[in-house]
Amino acid sequence: MIFHRYHGLGNDYLVCHQSVAALLSNEQIQRLCDRHYGIGSDGLLIDHDDADIPSLRIINPDGSEAEKSGNGLRIYARYLFDIGRVAHEPFQVNTPGGQVRCEVTEGAHQVIVDMGQAKFSPAALPASVEGDEALALPLVAGGHNLSATLVSMGNPHCVIRVDELDLELVKQLGSEIETLAIFPKRTNVQFVQVLDRNNINIGIWERGAGYTLASGSSSCAAASAMRKLALVDENVTVHMPGGKLAISFSGDFQVNMRGPVQKIATITLDNDCFWDMTA
Ligand SMILES: N[C@@H](CCC[C@H](N)C(=O)O)C(=O)O
């Protein structure tokens, strides 16, 4: 079984063709993503090439499926470029969270993705919260009084605004917020410090993956939430422990993301990895 390993700002993914994924059970995918017992990864990207438009499925390390992933899309676009299925012209990709437009720029290390529209309705996440929008919603976790703005980028995000970003607090409260009863499908979590009208600093707790160094959809959600609260302008650089992403807005919260992708390896999995498991 062949897997291709890439990362976007330290958010790393394995990519495989649907014919390879079809041989794997959900438990085996979790083993593959395990950093001690498998290859290790923040998730598995599955390439479906049986339709005109390439289609991406995203599996989190805990075996759950995500509707969309920003770093995952940039990596998938670069993978399609590497195998010669696309060139530098923009192309569409289907995800369970909607269709997006991707472009692999000259040199192939930067990828642009039109991520679609940020939505603020709790129903879109889903979240069981009253009202058409949930902006600066009071929320308590770990005894802390927090202010949360809920955003769907196709996948769910709970964006917490703080005066000072404390990554230890992200790690401490992430799991509790991810699994709050108001989020029936759980949620991704971002803690956001606004640096100025064009820069934000974020810490990320991903649904199904835990603390990660970077996240594309989280960057889009955090920038969208701060824009909705009128705290940032149309162009926002999102600073994360893994590096920076450029986010911009057009129309009614249409979100564009630009950032790097790097290939790490092509890996042949040894069957021994699963010797104690059934398919
Ligand atoms: N790392 C991703 C987000 C992956 C999906 C997420 N864990 C979810 O369950 O929604 C990104 O870069 O957006």
Side-chain angles (χ1 to χ4, degrees):
M1 287 186 207
I2 302 287
F3 297 90
H4 305 274
R5 187 189 179 88
Y6 291 81
H7 80 91
L9 301 171
N11 193 207
D12 60 333
Y13 281 93
L14 295 168
V15 188
C16 73
H17 186 255
Q18 64 188 99
S19 59
V20 173
L23 303 172
L24 298 170
S25 67
N26 191 277
E27 286 71 26
Q28 288 174 331
I29 292 176
Q30 292 175 53
R31 167 74 60 92
L32 204 58
C33 294
D34 188 287
R35 296 201 183 275
H36 302 287
Y37 294 94
I39 302 173
S41 169
D42 287 328
L44 178 67
L45 305 176
I46 305 172
D47 167 30
H48 286 254
D49 62 357
D50 44 9
D52 288 348
I53 297 179
S55 168
L56 171 64
R57 283 184 63 210
I58 306 135
I59 311 296
N60 287 319
D62 72 349
S64 61
E65 183 158 1
E67 304 85 347
K68 214 185 245 183
S69 162
N71 283 329
L73 275 159
R74 293 204 321 286
I75 287 170
Y76 182 56
R78 165 72 191 270
Y79 160 83
L80 293 175
F81 180 87
D82 287 348
I83 63 171
R85 190 135 27 107
V86 302
H88 286 301
E89 291 73 35
F91 58 95
Q92 301 291 321
V93 169
N94 278 325
T95 73
Q99 196 174 97
V100 303
R101 177 182 180 273
C102 301
E103 182 183 345
V104 180
T105 63
E106 295 298 330
H109 285 110
Q110 289 283 328
V111 179
I112 301 168
V113 184
D114 282 335
M115 286 285 285
Q117 190 180 36
K119 296 192 174 127
F120 300 94
S121 122
L125 278 84
S128 48
V129 171
E130 296 289 315
D132 293 343
E133 293 176 336
L135 311 178
L137 176 80
L139 190 139
V140 179
H144 294 261
N145 291 313
L146 305 168
S147 167
T149 295
L150 307 187
V151 184
S152 170
M153 288 304 310
N155 61 342
H157 297 271
C158 175
V159 183
I160 314 275
R161 188 179 157 226
V162 289
D163 293 335
E164 286 288 330
L165 181 61
D166 174 358
L167 295 177
E168 289 312 310
L169 196 63
V170 179
K171 292 174 192 168
Q172 200 183 310
L173 301 185
S175 171
E176 183 180 336
I177 301 171
E178 174 191 354
T179 55
L180 284 173
I182 57 168
F183 302 116
K185 293 188 173 171
R186 300 188 284 156
T187 187
N188 296 287
V189 181
Q190 302 81 29
F191 280 57
V192 186
Q193 176 187 2
V194 176
L195 300 174
D196 60 39
R197 294 200 63 83
N198 299 104
N199 291 278
I200 62 175
N201 196 8
I202 74 169
I204 303 137
W205 183 271
E206 275 190 41
R207 175 180 64 169
Y211 179 80
T212 58
L213 295 177
S215 163
S217 58
S218 295
S219 298
C220 296
S224 299
M226 295 306 109
R227 176 105 184 110
K228 187 76 175 172
L229 297 173
L231 296 172
V232 296
D233 294 333
E234 277 185 353
N235 296 301
V236 181
T237 300
V238 180
H239 302 254
M240 295 168 279
K244 293 183 282 188
L245 277 178
I247 305 297
S248 59
F249 297 97
S250 59
D252 186 18
F253 279 94
Q254 295 293 330
V255 188
N256 178 280
M257 169 188 66
R258 180 193 176 102
V261 173
Q262 207 167 354
K263 182 158 187 184
I264 302 165
T266 294
I267 299 165
T268 305
L269 187 80
D270 199 295
N271 284 340
D272 209 37
C273 181
F274 300 141
W275 77 271
D276 54 343
M277 304 175 83
T278 47

